């Protein structure tokens, strides 16, 4: 049987004094994926309404909104912003709801960047 003094000096099992822990590798946090929000051209939505939507929901200046609207008109589609998934989804929903309430067929979509 071990003496009381020897027991007091021995570390508990699994907790040796010469144990060295390897440092944990720091994991780099990754940025969330981004999503492009795009407006699609149609033959019915007035250009002024598209400019208004760009200013209201995307905070774009009037001149930039006009330029983007013309890009949509000429090319059929334009990226109007790049956001995290939740924000992109919200923007698409807001634009689509607003267009429907105003009886316009404007289409807004999103896709992973």
């Amino acid at each position: 049987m071990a003496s009381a003094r020897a027991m007091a000096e021995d570390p508990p099992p699994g907790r040796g004094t010469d144990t060295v822990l390897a440092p944990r590798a720091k994991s780099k946090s990754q940025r969330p994926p981004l999503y492009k929000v795009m407006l699609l051209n149609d033959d019915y939505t007035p250009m002024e309404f598209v400019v208004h939507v760009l200013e209201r929901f995307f905070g774009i200046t009037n001149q930039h909104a006009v330029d983007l609207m013309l890009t949509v008109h000429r090319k059929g589609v334009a990226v109007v912003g790049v956001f995290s998934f939740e924000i992109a989804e919200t923007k698409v929903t807001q634009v689509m709801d607003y267009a429907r309430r105003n009886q316009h067929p404007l289409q807004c979509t999103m896709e992973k960047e």
Side-chain angles (χ1 to χ4, degrees), residues 26-88:
K26 291 186 179 182
S27 63
K28 289 186 178 181
S29 58
Q30 294 181 342
R31 290 183 153 213
L34 296 177
Y35 291 79
K36 299 183 286 191
V37 175
M38 299 169 291
L39 284 183
L40 307 176
N41 188 44
D42 65 73
D43 293 332
Y44 304 101
T45 303
M47 292 179 175
E48 296 82 13
F49 183 78
V50 175
V51 170
H52 173 69
V53 164
L54 290 168
E55 291 172 340
R56 178 175 178 162
F57 295 105
F58 297 94
I60 296 172
T61 64
N62 183 267
Q63 185 58 54
H64 190 204
V66 169
D67 293 343
L68 275 173
M69 176 273 300
L70 290 172
T71 300
V72 171
H73 180 69
R74 292 180 185 133
K75 295 187 176 183
V77 65
V79 175
V80 297
V82 179
F83 308 96
S84 67
F85 178 81
E86 292 80 9
I87 293 173

